[in-house]
Amino acid sequence: MRDNVGTVEDLHASATKITGLEDYGDDSYLEGLQVLLESYARDSALTPLGNKVMRAFLRGALMARSLSEVGWKQVPAHESVAIERPIFVTGLPRTGTTALHRLLTADPAHQGLELWLTEVPQPRPPRDTWESNPIFAAIQAGYQQHHLEHPEFMGLHYISADQVEECWQLLRQSMTSISFECLAYLPTYSQWLSKQDWVPAYRRHRRNLQLIGHDDAGRRWVLKNPSHLFALNALLEVYPDALVIQTHRSPRTAIASVCSLNARAAEGWSDRYSGEVVGRAQLDLWARGLQRFVADRATHDPRQFIDVYYEDFVSEPIGVVEAIYERLGTPLSTQARAAMQALHGESRSGERKPTHRYELADFGLTGEEVDERFGAWEPPVR
């Protein structure tokens, strides 16, 4: 078992051994990668398993980066693919972002970012060819094995290779992503990231969407990522006509839930990242993110934002979607409505049914502490 995550050089060598590719594009990502490695070594107290997992995580980002580079060369026409009025769903984690995102992408007129294509960026193949695609099959088999080994995690956040997922996987190609801080204790990296310009990462993000959606150029992109809270100005610089949907839920509930999710996901990976350490790190992270988003949002056109309240979405999901479509000036088609209703039914049963119990006290936090950190923030008037 490993006693470290590795070095910049051997991570590249390992990625190249798997893909056969050596072109990782410009070197703008190298500083972030080096800071991450230093932070893992200095701050995280990773176990041998944790070193192995984080190494695979970083290697996967490098592999995806190199595959994007080759894809852009092979499909030069991607540069002319328009991305018009994309929708970005964001908000504190565990506020309904996933469920809303998946409902919106059920509309055949929309497209989302399927998980396997974040790992192997390429023009999206026809859906009926995926099962026979050996790369898709290998990735899907990995998630199916994860389901068997960690069935409890599926009740927190259901994942599969063909499922639309968060777009931080594209941002991680630039080593600019909050996702790293959600799975390990990384104050050194956190301080570095807080001072970075996210615009280059979002430009790469957009270019990846142009590649992946090359053959679906007529469909509107719907994307989701709570970490957009930290980079609204960069997002709107790169996607100036975007519509941003912000979800709202009690911070007490959201913080307790994200602490539980991240602690479960990272279980066994660190001798430090558990209990109160998770609680303090996640409370600080997401309080900073929401405060930054609220301040940045106030400087942009209010017509680019829609607010969705968790309680409303839970009680009337299709009604909430109808209100979003009304703001878009787009009718909700009969076909889209039927697809959304079917997906909603599936999400409430079987292995996709959410089952999650959590308490702030499990992470050394109290409701009053959460209120204090979020006290200056009030959700917009309905």
Side-chain angles (χ1 to χ4, degrees), residues 76-344:
H78 78 276
E79 294 182 355
S80 63
V81 173
I83 299 179
E84 298 179 350
R85 297 192 73 199
I87 298 171
F88 287 84
V89 180
T90 194
L92 289 177
R94 317 303 289 172
T95 58
T97 55
T98 297
L100 177 58
H101 176 226
R102 290 176 179 175
L103 273 191
L104 292 173
T105 55
D107 185 341
H110 291 164
Q111 60 181 315
L113 190 61
E114 292 87 3
L115 184 53
W116 80 287
L117 293 175
T118 69
E119 298 187 31
V120 189
Q122 61 186 288
R124 184 184 292 108
R127 180 63 182 84
D128 60 6
T129 68
W130 292 7
E131 297 296 335
S132 60
N133 184 309
I135 297 175
F136 171 84
I139 295 172
Q140 182 74 309
Y143 286 109
Q144 289 172 341
Q145 184 63 32
H146 182 270
H147 295 181
L148 294 174
E149 295 174 355
H150 304 282
E152 75 289 347
F153 190 80
M154 292 303 101
L156 279 70
H157 184 77
Y158 183 84
I159 52 176
S160 63
D162 60 348
Q163 181 73 67
V164 293
E165 260 299 339
E166 296 181 353
C167 51
W168 59 258
Q169 286 96 335
L170 299 183
L171 295 171
R172 70 174 181 152
Q173 287 191 17
S174 302
M175 301 297 161
T176 306
S177 175
I178 299 300
S179 63
F180 299 112
E181 296 177 65
C182 291
L183 297 175
Y185 183 60
L186 293 170
T188 301
Y189 175 75
S190 181
Q191 291 174 9
W192 175 86
L193 184 61
S194 68
K195 301 172 184 176
Q196 300 310 302
D197 177 7
W198 290 62
V199 169
Y202 275 94
R203 286 180 178 147
R204 189 177 184 92
H205 178 285
R206 183 186 182 100
R207 199 174 176 193
N208 269 291
L209 296 188
Q210 291 176 300
L211 176 67
I212 294 168
H214 177 268
D215 299 327
D216 296 287
R219 298 163 64 200
R220 184 201 300 266
W221 276 101
V222 182
L223 301 138
K224 170 252 178 174
N225 190 351
S227 73
H228 295 315
L229 292 176
F230 296 82
L232 178 64
N233 289 341
L235 186 158
L236 290 177
E237 180 171 332
V238 176
Y239 298 98
D241 61 345
L243 179 73
V244 180
I245 300 175
Q246 183 182 2
T247 54
H248 302 276
R249 190 183 190 186
S250 162
R252 288 191 181 197
T253 306
I255 294 301
S257 185
V258 75
C259 285
S260 177
L261 175 68
N262 292 343
R264 295 268 193 100
E267 190 171 2
W269 296 354
S270 169
D271 293 327
R272 180 170 296 155
Y273 193 63
S274 62
E276 186 171 349
V277 172
V278 173
R280 300 294 167 190
Q282 295 302 302
L283 175 60
D284 176 69
L285 177 68
W286 294 109
R288 286 190 290 108
L290 186 59
Q291 289 159 5
R292 178 169 181 175
F293 182 85
V294 169
D296 291 345
R297 174 175 168 170
T299 68
H300 294 283
D301 186 345
R303 293 173 295 182
Q304 287 189 267
F305 298 88
I306 294 177
D307 295 291
V308 169
Y309 298 85
Y310 182 82
E311 294 78 9
D312 295 344
F313 181 65
V314 170
S315 61
E316 292 289 342
I318 303 302
V320 166
V321 169
E322 287 174 337
I324 292 171
Y325 275 66
E326 185 175 345
R327 282 286 305 276
L328 289 171
T330 303
L332 179 59
S333 70
T334 301
Q335 186 181 13
R337 182 188 298 272
M340 291 177 185
Q341 289 172 333
L343 179 62
H344 179 63

